[in-house]
Structure formats: C-alpha cells, structure tokens
Amino acid sequence: MAMGKYSRVDGKKSSHCCSTLTVVVFVAVCLVGVWMVMSSSVVPLQNSDVVVEESSKQVKERVSKGGSRQFEDTSGHLTDDGVKEDGNAGDESNSDESQTESQTNKESESTQEESQEENLAKENSEEAPKTNAYGDQNGDNGEGESKSEDANSGSEGKEAKTDGIELNEGEQRESEENLGDNTSSKEENGDENEKDNKEDGQTDKNADQNQGIDSEQSSEEKQTESEENSQGSNEVFPAGEQSEVLKESNTQNGAFSTQAVESKNEKESQKSLIFENGYSWKLCNVTAGPDYIPCLDNIQAIRQLHSTKHYEHRERHCPDEAPTCLVPLPEGYKIPIKWPKSREKIWYYNVPHAKLAEVKGHQNWVKVTGEYLTFPGGGTQFTHGALHYIDFIQESLPDIAWGKRARVILDVGCGVASFGGYLFERDVLAMSFAPKDEHEAQVQFALERGIPAISAVMGTTRLPFPANVFDVVHCARCGKLLLELNRLLRPGGFFVWSATPVYRKLPDDVEIWKAMKQLTKSMCWEMLVIKKDKLNAVGAAIFRKPTSNECYEQRAVDDPPLCQKSDDPNAAWNIQLQACMHSVPVGEAERGSRWPEQWPTRVETPPYWLASTQVGVYGKSAPEDFNSDYEHWKNVVSKSYLNGMGINWSSVRNVMDMKAVYGGFAAALKDMNLWVMNVVPINSPDTLPIIFERGLFGIYHDWCESFSTYPRSYDLLHADHLFTNLKKRCKLVAVIAEVDRILRPGGKLIVRDKVDTISEVESMARSLQWKIRLTYSQENEGLLCVEKTMWRPTETETIKSAIA
C-alpha cells in the first residue's frame, strides 16, 4: 500500500509506468462507457434506422429566439440546427473522444459534469449554422449555405439507402424464389432488428461506400441527387409565396361552413386531453381479433338495437370512449405485395378468410391458391373479366366516356372491387363500399389488393358524402334506396344497373324490373339504353338523372316528394335518410348546374361556382386560394416528399390525407401509381365538394372516432395541422392508436403541425417502437415522418363492448 502510494506521488520509477497508464486508460474507458449508456438511453436500438430527431426542449429554445415568420417561406434547407439524426453517434464520437483524452489526467469527474460539457459542445456546434440558417430567401448565403446543403445531401442520401434496404427485403418476400417461405411476424421482427443493429453500427462513411446495401442507387444517381440538393431541390419546406397557405386561420373558414354545423348532430366532446409522459400499450382483446373496427364491432351496442331490418347492425355504433389498445397482427402476416401484382394476388395469411372463395368461386371473385388469394378479375355480372365489362358499358353508352367525362364513380355493393380495380386502366376513380357482413372481408380484400374501398351500408343514415358529386353510380343490386343514390349522383350523371331483372325473365325478376321502371320514372330518371353483354351473358340498364326541375313539377303524383327547402342535401354526418328528393340546382352560379371540365383539366381548374367574392380557407379569394394551395402542394411534394424523406414511393399505393382542404396534396400526386382518400374532418371547412369537382374523391369523418376501414389498410397517412385541433376535443393517444390500426407495418405517417404537438406524436411513435425517419422544425412549426414496424405489445386489454 505504501509503495503504491509512493509510486503515484513520485511518478519517476519506471516499474510503475504501466500502473499509471492502466489507471488512465481505465478512467477513459469508463467515461466513454458512461457516454455510450447515456446515448443509448435516448435512442432505442430498434429505432436507429437513419433517424432524424430534435428534442422538444431544444426546439422550444430555438423557437423563443426565432421570431414569428412562417417556416414555409424559408429556403427549406435542412440546416444543422433544425435537423438532428439519431444515427450520428459515429460522427459525434470524434469530438467526444477528444474531450475524453483531455480529461484523462483528472482523477474524478461526475456523469452530470460530462453531460453538461457534451450539451455545451452541441450548442456550440449548432450556433455556427444558425448564423445563416434563415438567411437570404433566394439561397444566396455564400459558403455557409453550400455547406448546409452538402450536409443535407448526405442526410437524405442515408435515408434513401435505408429505404432501399426495405425495398430489397420486400422484393425478396415477393420474389418467386420465396413463394414457399411463410415467415411469421416474429421472424420478420427478428430480421428487422438484426438489420437495424447492423445499420446502427455503420458510420456515415461506411454507409456511403456500401453499394451492396443500396443496389438501386448508382454512383451517377448519387451525384445527381447531390447536385439537386445543392440547388435546393430536396427542400423540406420549399420557398415561395404559395407556402403561406399552410397555416389555416383558427377563426376564418372563409365561405365554407363545417360539416358539423350542416349536420347539426355533432356531439361536442367534453373530455379534456390527458397527456401522459409514458405510454403503456396493450393488445386489444376483442372477438374480431386482427380485423377489429371499433365503430362496426361494438357488439354491446348492436345487441341493444330494437330492429335490424334496415341493416342498423351494419351501421356505425362507436364506443363511448375510443380504444387506446393496438390491434394484433394476423399470424404469419407479411408485407403486402406491391401494385399492380396485388390486383391479381395477395398473401393468404394477411387476410385469412376463405368463405368468400367458397361462396363466389364460380363467379371468379377470389380463389385460394397455395399461399395466395388470387383474383381472376371476375364478379357477379362479369365472370369473364371486369375490363371487358367496363368496355361493354361504354360501348352501350359512349357518352359515359370513361376517364374524360366520367371520372369519379360510386360502386355500390362492390364485392372484392374488381370493377373499381380495373377502372384505373381507364383513368377512373371508383369509391367502392360494402357492409362488414357474412361475406367475410370483401372490403378488406379490396384494400389489400390496392383498390379504394370503405365499409358502409345504406341503412338508416346518409352516406358520408356531399350531394351531387358522383359522375356515375354503379350497382348490381339496388332497390328502394335509390333516393339516397339520387342525392349523391350529379345532375346529368349516369346510373348503371346490372341486376338480373335487366336480362332474365323469371317471374321474380319480371316483378322487380316492373317496380324498378316505375320508381325510376317517378324519380324523373331517363332510361337511355338496355343492352346485353353476350360474353358474360348479362345485361345493363343505364339511366340519367335530370338536369332541370321541369319533370318534377309536371308529375301527376308527387311521389316520392321533393324535400323541404330547409333540408340541406350536403349535410351527411349522422343524418337520417328521408324519403324525398332534392331539387336540381339550375342557377348558373350553383354547384351542379354544369358538368365539370373533362379530366385531367378539371383537377387544376377552380370550379366555376367558386366566386372571387368568396373568401377561401386561407383568407384569399376562393379561386386564388385554390390555385395557391395547388402550387404549394406541388412544391412540397416534388421538392420534399418525393426526394427528401427517404420514402420508397414504388411501395406506396393506398394513401390517406387525414385533413384535406382543397385536395391539393392528392392533386400533386395524380401522376403517380397510387390513390388518395381525402378526408375532410367534420369540424373543418366543408371543402369536400371542391375535391370531387376536380376529379378526386373523399369522405367526411370525425377523427375522435374510428374510421370505417379494416386494420392495415393504408401505406401512407398525411396529417397537415390536424392533431393540434383534435387535442381540444379528444385524447391524442386514442387518435394515434387509430393511426396505428389503419396503417400497415412498414407504412409511413407524415405530420405537419405545431412543435409541441410534433413532440407529443414523436414520443408516442417511439413508445410504439416506430422508426423516426425525420423531424424538422422551424420557428413554431414542425415536420415529422415516422415508419410503423411489426412490433406488438405482449399484454392485452379486454374491450368489453367488442366481446361477443
């Protein structure tokens, strides 16, 4: 002991040099170990996939220094102070090691002191780019701007490579070599974790050199991407005057009322938001299992119904409190097959229901083929293929003009939606719907195939669409509920009826046909043509809705009667069906008095009924608002979403805009091989008629309730300033649980919102074990992109209302 003490003080005896060096190295190793533990506690291993983040505290500190200018108006470059990457531990290690070496002569130092020095170093490193982060709006910031852009290029390149890994993995799952490999979700989780661990250990240099991982991005593409980044093409928030339309006024809805006001049935939520710092997720224990739809599987409410003769049991009955549990994955679930292959086949274990194949197999709806469910393209009225049937309809009535005059149609009782699936080849969007009934999973089949569909039924309430919006309504079996379809059909629009009474002469069919002719005549529908398809041995009758009120006024019997003038045909949220018809709009400035422009001109043309005297959602005149919104989203999509987010858009098919305004986001994606469900919240300005007018489609919804779709329906969800407003009405944790329910594993969520809301959503996403692909903030606004994983909790929560 004395010798040891003497040796440390004297320091001159060579025999103890090794001891001194050992102590120094030991202290250095301990300090590095403490730093690594602190870093790993911030970034979970499973979320290390080229993650970009910024803590709420850092964001708020910058916001307090920042001023009030809107973030969308800046050049949009990913500056160091606005963006941080979870995967940059390798970059920061050099500076940390230098600090460690300078501290090795100190005999003791607390973890808190080291943490403070690290934070100070980070603040110093952030201070330099802050000088020019919000500099010249034209991008002329000299060398500092160029360095920032180069940094962005590297960041975005790494994100693209990560997505490339996922693409290769998905392609392997879909390749013919792996058809017999029915991997369980646990095995897939293991593969993903292994992949994440490998990626987490890579430095930026290795990531750039690893061409084997990113086989899709050649050196030429990397150079091109770098050049584009240096020119500011991959901006997260593109510059331009049109960018200011992102901020919707809290008090100004312009000339548009809200769906809640129109319907007058909106129940105001009195539940205050309870934000928890920690989230404990559990699996939903329900009878429906992996197919759970909270508002359609409320068994407790269904049991209390007095009648089911009008399909009341198939309508929405939402639980009093939205569930916060997570829906389990089907055993053996795999990443869905990509479009267009998915139109012909899907993984059986993703939708493991064979009943429809047994019942409708002879009509070529769906068949079980090994590991797949295959779809020959048939249906009740077109056993020999939907495409031939589609062409048969146009040959019967050329005025339909698929993809030009007729762009948005409603397919009633859609089956597996092959009709809508093949209409894409004619540039037509079909909103298909069917009830969640004994024909198991027909809508789920459609969505898994990549075809638009919702679970709905014409029972006792109106469908959640505005009046006079669908160019064509197609129905194989429709009866007394034609009055609701009349509300939805555009004046001059076509009704295609292909039921058996059109072409069969059996006694029952003859009686139904007689009643149908009498009803359509009393509704003033003009029967244009009846024709039989020889190949499919079926027939179709095509009717047209009137464009004036003359016929209504000349009817000998007012049956069905015209609705009262006080009855708003556009009110559609929880409104009871009425046995009446609404007058046809005839004024030159009224919506519905004229047919829209032909597609695709109509998508970028402000509707004729948007007057310059009207105030738009963002405060400008309505037509100017429309144009500015479109230009804004074209900029954001082309310069940010398609290039700067690391999203592999070839794997994106089903997209939802959770808070659409004019449909600009969907319009900006119109040339891509995907479709967008535009959702207009009931408490937002009622702009859904504008969305339909421009040849797109959408639906009304209250996000404090579950959406009428199956779990795992969408590849990408987009929420633009939605969640902050929702927090005033319902618990955000329940909304995120719903987002998790309808988003597929591997699917992306893009959120644009206030910084504090972005921070909350990011915290919940991390607790869900999602990958944080990007966070960006500027002033008090932020952008977040996250990716859902296969992770599911082990504990369960029983939802009593959903137990049979």
Side-chain angles (χ1 to χ4, degrees):
M1 292 294 293
M3 181 65 69
K5 183 178 180 181
Y6 171 80
S7 300
R8 289 181 60 194
V9 174
D10 185 85
K12 296 181 180 180
K13 295 188 177 182
S14 59
S15 61
H16 298 100
C17 289
C18 292
S19 298
T20 301
L21 181 60
T22 300
V23 171
V24 171
V25 172
F26 177 77
V27 171
V29 170
C30 289
L31 292 176
V32 172
V34 170
W35 173 82
M36 293 178 65
V37 169
M38 292 176 63
S39 299
S40 62
S41 66
V42 175
V43 184
L45 183 60
Q46 61 269 28
N47 288 344
S48 60
D49 180 25
V50 191
V51 180
V52 185
E53 70 161 352
E54 180 171 22
S55 70
S56 176
K57 180 179 179 181
Q58 291 170 329
V59 169
K60 291 180 179 178
E61 289 176 353
R62 286 196 299 102
V63 170
S64 64
K65 300 177 182 179
S68 59
R69 177 168 37 80
Q70 293 181 17
F71 70 103
E72 297 88 351
D73 291 333
T74 67
S75 61
H77 300 308
L78 295 177
T79 55
D80 293 340
D81 67 317
V83 180
K84 297 184 184 294
E85 294 187 11
D86 282 357
N88 280 351
D91 294 339
E92 297 180 12
S93 62
N94 293 335
S95 61
D96 292 327
E97 289 174 0
S98 298
Q99 294 177 13
T100 302
E101 291 176 1
S102 66
Q103 295 167 355
T104 52
N105 293 329
K106 299 181 180 180
E107 295 182 3
S108 65
E109 183 173 43
S110 67
T111 302
Q112 181 177 3
E113 291 175 341
E114 183 189 36
S115 177
Q116 291 174 350
E117 289 189 12
E118 284 184 10
N119 292 336
L120 179 60
K122 290 181 180 179
E123 290 175 1
N124 292 335
S125 65
E126 292 172 358
E127 192 64 33
K130 281 185 181 180
T131 303
N132 55 28
Y134 309 120
D136 188 348
Q137 298 305 304
N138 295 325
D140 298 330
N141 286 340
E143 295 180 358
E145 184 72 7
S146 299
K147 291 179 181 178
S148 176
E149 290 167 355
D150 291 340
N152 298 340
S153 175
S155 172
E156 291 162 2
K158 285 179 285 183
E159 289 171 357
K161 290 172 187 175
T162 303
D163 203 77
I165 296 172
E166 296 165 358
L167 174 61
N168 294 337
E169 185 180 20
E171 289 175 341
Q172 289 174 1
R173 289 188 182 125
E174 297 171 21
S175 67
E176 296 298 327
E177 297 177 358
N178 293 333
L179 296 184
D181 182 20
N182 185 14
T183 308
S184 68
S185 59
K186 290 184 179 180
E187 293 172 338
E188 290 175 351
N189 275 326
D191 293 339
E192 287 189 2
N193 290 336
E194 181 179 356
K195 180 184 70 175
D196 291 342
N197 293 338
K198 292 180 180 178
E199 293 172 353
D200 187 55
Q202 293 176 338
T203 63
D204 294 345
K205 181 178 179 181
N206 291 338
D208 291 337
Q209 294 176 348
N210 193 350
Q211 297 179 0
I213 294 179
D214 185 12
S215 60
E216 291 189 354
Q217 188 176 31
S218 65
S219 59
E220 294 179 358
E221 290 173 332
K222 292 178 181 178
Q223 182 178 358
T224 302
E225 181 181 356
S226 178
E227 292 173 355
E228 290 178 349
N229 290 338
S230 66
Q231 297 172 2
S233 62
N234 286 351
E235 298 169 345
V236 172
F237 296 129
E241 295 180 359
Q242 70 280 356
S243 298
E244 67 187 20
V245 302
L246 256 185
K247 284 194 175 181
E248 180 182 336
S249 170
N250 292 329
T251 57
Q252 177 64 61
N253 289 336
F256 311 102
S257 62
T258 65
Q259 182 60 206
V261 172
E262 293 166 355
S263 300
K264 297 181 181 179
N265 283 340
E266 158 66 1
K267 295 181 179 179
E268 296 183 358
S269 175
Q270 298 180 355
K271 301 175 183 178
S272 59
L273 172 68
I274 302 177
F275 178 72
E276 303 172 359
N277 293 325
Y279 304 94
S280 178
W281 301 101
K282 297 181 180 180
L283 283 181
C284 299
N285 178 23
V286 292
T287 301
D291 298 335
Y292 180 45
I293 305 176
C295 289
L296 297 182
D297 292 316
N298 190 347
I299 299 173
Q300 188 178 71
I302 292 173
R303 285 173 176 166
Q304 297 175 359
L305 294 174
H306 299 296
S307 172
T308 59
K309 65 179 181 179
H310 295 298
Y311 292 90
E312 292 92 338
H313 57 303
R314 304 300 183 193
E315 295 181 319
R316 291 172 60 85
H317 302 282
C318 298
D320 294 334
E321 187 169 342
T324 57
C325 54
L326 307 182
V327 176
L329 295 175
E331 185 176 354
Y333 181 84
K334 295 184 179 183
I335 298 299
I337 296 172
K338 295 179 182 178
W339 181 272
K341 290 183 179 179
S342 62
R343 188 172 62 180
E344 278 72 44
K345 64 179 181 180
I346 62 175
W347 295 114
Y348 171 78
Y349 286 102
N350 285 13
V351 192
H353 299 291
K355 184 175 181 179
L356 202 59
E358 298 171 2
V359 175
K360 297 291 185 179
H362 65 288
Q363 295 178 347
N364 283 334
W365 280 29
V366 56
K367 298 180 182 296
V368 179
T369 309
E371 287 189 294
Y372 299 100
L373 288 165
T374 57
F375 302 86
T380 303
Q381 308 304 322
F382 42 88
T383 56
H384 295 286
L387 204 55
H388 169 80
Y389 175 72
I390 290 167
D391 292 338
F392 155 71
I393 293 173
Q394 180 161 301
E395 291 170 3
S396 302
L397 186 66
D399 285 349
I400 280 186
W402 295 127
K404 294 181 180 179
R405 177 180 173 84
R407 163 66 181 174
V408 185
I409 79 166
L410 182 67
D411 187 19
V412 183
C414 62
V416 295
S418 289
F419 181 61
Y422 283 90
L423 275 170
F424 278 106
E425 295 191 16
R426 299 294 182 262
D427 234 357
V428 176
L429 281 178
M431 174 75 75
S432 302
F433 77 91
K436 186 178 183 181
D437 59 8
E438 63 276 1
H439 286 166
E440 287 180 334
Q442 51 186 332
V443 167
Q444 192 174 18
F445 285 145
L447 290 162
E448 185 73 13
R449 296 172 69 189
I451 303 171
I454 60 170
S455 291
V457 63
M458 288 192 295
T460 65
T461 60
R462 291 177 178 176
L463 292 172
F465 310 112
N468 305 320
V469 291
F470 288 100
D471 304 332
V472 177
V473 173
H474 174 266
C475 186
R477 295 177 181 176
C478 291
K480 296 180 179 180
L481 293 171
L482 286 185
L483 293 177
E484 171 63 359
L485 298 181
N486 181 75
R487 181 183 73 88
L488 302 176
L489 187 60
R490 184 183 300 281
F494 304 104
F495 175 73
V496 180
W497 192 47
S498 59
T500 56
V502 176
Y503 56 92
R504 289 182 181 175
K505 301 301 179 183
L506 297 176
D508 288 345
D509 290 323
V510 171
E511 287 299 317
I512 294 174
W513 173 245
K514 182 178 179 181
M516 186 67 168
K517 285 203 305 182
Q518 183 178 352
L519 177 58
T520 53
K521 183 178 180 180
S522 66
M523 293 171 58
C524 294
W525 284 11
E526 178 186 5
M527 188 171 66
L528 300 178
V529 64
I530 300 176
K531 192 170 182 179
K532 187 172 182 178
D533 176 15
K534 295 181 181 179
L535 177 63
N536 288 301
V538 300
I542 304 177
F543 303 82
R544 180 168 57 194
K545 180 179 176 178
T547 57
S548 71
N549 294 307
E550 294 180 7
C551 177
Y552 298 147
E553 297 167 355
Q554 296 173 0
R555 290 183 303 170
V557 180
D558 189 26
D559 185 27
L562 291 179
C563 300
Q564 298 291 328
K565 292 184 179 180
S566 60
D567 190 322
D568 183 0
N570 295 304
W573 188 253
N574 293 334
I575 294 295
Q576 294 296 310
L577 289 175
Q578 301 293 325
C580 63
M581 298 184 302
H582 296 89
S583 300
V584 172
V586 293
E588 292 185 2
E590 288 187 81
R591 179 174 68 83
S593 62
R594 286 162 45 188
W595 199 270
E597 299 284 343
Q598 288 196 352
W599 179 266
T601 304
R602 66 192 280 187
V603 76
E604 55 190 22
T605 305
Y608 66 90
W609 41 269
L610 275 186
S612 58
T613 55
Q614 289 178 294
V615 179
V617 174
Y618 301 113
K620 301 178 182 179
S621 69
E624 185 181 357
D625 234 25
F626 177 97
N627 290 325
S628 295
D629 178 81
Y630 186 33
E631 290 302 318
H632 161 72
W633 286 113
K634 283 195 296 184
N635 262 0
V636 170
V637 168
S638 63
K639 296 183 179 180
S640 173
Y641 289 1
L642 297 185
N643 298 313
M645 307 284 278
I647 296 175
N648 174 24
W649 286 89
S650 67
S651 64
V652 175
R653 173 65 182 173
N654 302 354
V655 179
M656 176 185 287
D657 191 355
M658 298 178 69
K659 187 192 174 191
V661 180
Y662 296 112
F665 171 67
L669 294 170
K670 65 181 176 61
D671 295 326
M672 300 190 66
N673 207 12
L674 51 78
W675 57 271
V676 181
M677 177 70 77
N678 293 282
V679 180
V680 174
I682 61 170
N683 290 91
S684 295
D686 186 7
T687 53
L688 191 52
I690 299 174
I691 293 172
F692 275 94
E693 192 79 1
R694 66 192 306 187
L696 307 171
F697 61 19
I699 192 171
Y700 294 120
H701 184 59
D702 181 357
W703 281 114
C704 289
E705 302 175 358
S706 75
F707 193 78
S708 293
T709 192
Y710 282 85
R712 305 169 299 280
S713 294
Y714 287 87
D715 301 305
L716 188 143
L717 302 181
H718 182 258
D720 179 32
H721 291 82
L722 169 67
F723 296 137
T724 294
N725 292 330
L726 276 179
K727 289 193 298 182
K728 301 172 184 176
R729 302 178 50 242
C730 48
K731 293 181 180 180
L732 188 56
V733 66
V735 179
I736 298 303
E738 174 65 4
V739 167
D740 176 90
R741 190 184 71 84
I742 65 180
L743 191 62
R744 291 172 170 174
K748 313 296 189 299
L749 168 66
I750 300 175
V751 183
R752 307 172 76 92
D753 219 310
K754 301 295 183 183
V755 165
D756 58 343
T757 300
I758 290 289
S759 179
E760 291 180 39
V761 175
E762 182 181 351
S763 296
M764 282 183 268
R766 289 186 181 280
S767 68
L768 288 165
Q769 312 300 317
W770 289 10
K771 299 177 183 178
I772 313 299
R773 301 194 66 86
L774 173 73
T775 58
Y776 182 91
S777 63
Q778 190 169 311
E779 299 182 4
N780 195 34
E781 300 288 336
L783 172 67
L784 172 69
C785 179
V786 295
E787 177 183 338
K788 179 180 174 179
T789 64
M790 289 276 193
W791 179 83
R792 297 286 88 178
T794 55
E795 295 185 50
T796 61
E797 176 185 354
T798 299
I799 307 298
K800 295 181 179 179
S801 63
I803 297 294

